[in-house]
Amino acid sequence: MEETYLLNVEGVKKKILHGGQGELPKLQDGSKFTFHFQTLKDDFERTVIDDSREAGVPMEIIVGKMFKLEIWETLLSSMRIGEVAEFWCDAIHTGMYALVSRGMRRIAEGRDPLEGQKHRCGMGNMFDYHSTGYDDLDELQRTPQPLIFIMELFRVEDPSAYKRDTWAMSKEEKLAAVPVLHSEGNRLVLRREFAQAAAKYQEAVICLRNLQAKEKPWEDGWLKLESLVTPLVLNYCQCQLELGEYYEVLEHTTELLQKHNDNAKAYFKRAKAHAAVWNEREAREDFQRVAHLDPSMAAAVKKELKQLGERMRKKHVEDRKRYQGLFQSSQG
């Protein structure tokens, strides 16, 4: 099994290091590969560039989802479950490796893999970078070269066999997932599991925002999706109010109101967040907008303004006592 042979792909050689079991897996769009990999330079020392075992987490890629390093899908498609194989790939296949590696390293470091990226195709992004932030990857970016990939394939799952991340879903799957996530969020709210509910609402919003990105802003398709986004964002903000994440609420309601400045519910939630962080003037302004936009909420606004007034008076009394105590102690 040590024999080196060419795959039916230009510029690729394969050597099986350990045979796998069974037949080659049957693949379809959405199938998921789970594997460990090691990337080495094709030099005398076989210098190791990356090793997924050091990160402690296997790699996953989805068939047909335009992974930036397309050759990996080809390599894995040639492997059986449990197989370990070494692939030599010419520079024509490895030009995007620096960008892929940068993202994987950032994830391992707990950072955002897309930080600093513009919303452009992968090759466009490559020209945006003066540096990847890693010296060895900068070298690969400047001088694309052959690389060696050692891969161990653990499993291949059909699309129906695993919970698919939203980015891996088709347009139809994303649209179908939104009402399910919305319903799950509502169920969790009833159980007062606000953090879990917020995560469901957020996932649904991400699905819709991904679809919106393919539409022209303010045209029919975009507006239909926006009408689904708005209640989900408001539900998410209500969860964050319950969790005491007031600045999160301020950020999302303000963003929402920049597009929809007549949304009384958004003003109401923002007003409550302002009140919670002692922004009295802003809270009063937002509550007054609510009563103007939706007279049916006037009673709720009146109650909130009364509570705000009581809280502010109590705070002023406590502040006076604190300042008096400081003044007296400094005099003593």
Side-chain angles (χ1 to χ4, degrees):
M1 301 296 284
E2 291 277 332
E3 180 186 358
T4 299
Y5 63 94
L6 286 170
L7 286 172
N8 190 26
V9 181
E10 182 185 355
V12 175
K13 298 176 187 175
K14 175 179 178 180
K15 182 193 295 183
I16 296 176
L17 306 180
H18 177 78
Q21 299 101 39
E23 301 296 317
L24 288 173
K26 290 183 173 62
L27 302 174
Q28 56 184 299
D29 272 8
S31 295
K32 180 167 75 172
F33 292 112
T34 303
F35 60 101
H36 267 309
F37 74 94
Q38 195 176 47
T39 304
L40 305 93
K41 284 187 176 181
D42 184 23
D43 57 13
F44 182 76
E45 296 84 5
R46 287 169 62 97
T47 306
V48 176
I49 300 170
D50 289 305
D51 188 338
S52 63
R53 282 188 173 79
E54 287 187 5
V57 181
M59 182 73 182
E60 296 177 347
I61 65 172
I62 310 293
V63 173
K65 292 301 173 185
M66 298 299 289
F67 181 64
K68 287 190 179 77
L69 202 65
E70 292 178 36
I71 193 63
W72 273 16
E73 190 175 309
T74 303
L75 307 183
L76 291 161
S77 300
S78 77
M79 298 177 70
R80 292 170 168 79
I81 306 300
E83 180 178 321
V84 181
E86 177 177 310
F87 299 91
W88 177 91
C89 294
D90 197 1
I92 58 172
H93 299 296
T94 64
M96 295 298 291
Y97 185 77
L99 193 61
V100 171
S101 176
R102 175 185 186 268
M104 292 187 293
R105 291 183 189 187
R106 282 177 169 269
I107 290 169
E109 293 163 7
R111 298 161 68 190
D112 180 358
L114 301 178
E115 183 183 306
Q117 250 189 58
K118 297 180 181 177
H119 293 289
R120 294 169 59 188
C121 69
M123 190 58 74
N125 275 319
M126 186 69 88
F127 293 116
D128 286 331
Y129 298 136
H130 299 293
S131 169
T132 62
Y134 304 93
D135 291 343
D136 58 339
L137 299 184
D138 286 347
E139 180 199 340
L140 289 182
Q141 195 166 272
R142 283 192 299 270
T143 55
Q145 56 196 266
L147 294 174
I148 296 165
F149 303 113
I150 300 175
M151 294 177 159
E152 179 179 2
L153 181 61
F154 295 132
R155 59 182 175 272
V156 178
E157 297 168 274
D158 288 339
S160 59
Y162 64 94
K163 183 180 182 301
R164 301 177 72 186
D165 292 328
T166 51
W167 64 265
M169 293 179 180
S170 67
K171 177 180 178 179
E172 292 73 22
E173 288 168 331
K174 284 175 181 160
L175 285 171
V178 168
V180 175
L181 291 165
H182 198 158
S183 177
E184 288 176 356
N186 293 348
R187 181 176 53 80
L188 289 162
V189 165
L190 291 173
R191 289 162 51 179
R192 300 192 66 77
E193 296 177 16
F194 297 113
Q196 295 90 329
K200 296 293 183 184
Y201 295 136
Q202 187 177 43
E203 189 175 351
V205 169
I206 289 168
C207 282
L208 294 168
R209 291 293 190 214
N210 286 344
L211 294 172
Q212 265 192 321
K214 297 176 175 65
E215 302 283 345
K216 288 187 177 179
W218 303 104
E219 293 195 356
D220 285 348
W222 188 94
L223 288 168
K224 284 177 184 174
L225 293 167
E226 186 68 13
S227 70
L228 298 174
V229 167
T230 300
L232 288 162
V233 172
L234 291 172
N235 287 1
Y236 174 82
C237 288
Q238 184 59 42
C239 290
Q240 297 303 326
L241 281 173
E242 298 285 354
L243 294 166
E245 299 291 345
Y246 304 119
Y247 290 103
E248 180 92 351
V249 177
L250 292 175
E251 178 186 343
H252 288 283
T253 51
T254 298
E255 184 182 333
L256 190 62
L257 287 164
Q258 285 168 352
K259 297 177 188 169
H260 313 287
N261 63 3
D262 59 348
N263 192 303
K265 289 181 179 177
Y267 280 119
F268 190 77
K269 294 183 195 307
R270 189 171 76 170
K272 286 177 72 71
H274 275 310
V277 296
W278 308 106
N279 296 340
E280 182 181 12
R281 179 178 60 79
E282 292 88 344
R284 288 187 181 279
E285 287 176 359
D286 277 354
F287 279 132
Q288 285 160 5
R289 285 195 190 98
V290 173
H292 174 72
L293 288 166
D294 188 350
S296 71
M297 296 179 73
V301 166
K302 187 176 178 182
K303 180 182 174 185
E304 292 289 343
L305 286 170
K306 184 181 177 185
Q307 289 178 352
L308 175 60
E310 289 169 355
R311 286 182 69 237
M312 295 308 300
R313 278 191 294 276
K314 186 177 178 183
K315 182 177 186 292
H316 293 323
V317 169
E318 289 172 354
D319 287 348
R320 271 201 305 273
K321 286 180 180 175
R322 190 178 302 115
Y323 295 141
Q324 284 172 357
L326 286 170
F327 180 74
Q328 287 164 0
S329 62
S330 66
Q331 290 293 311

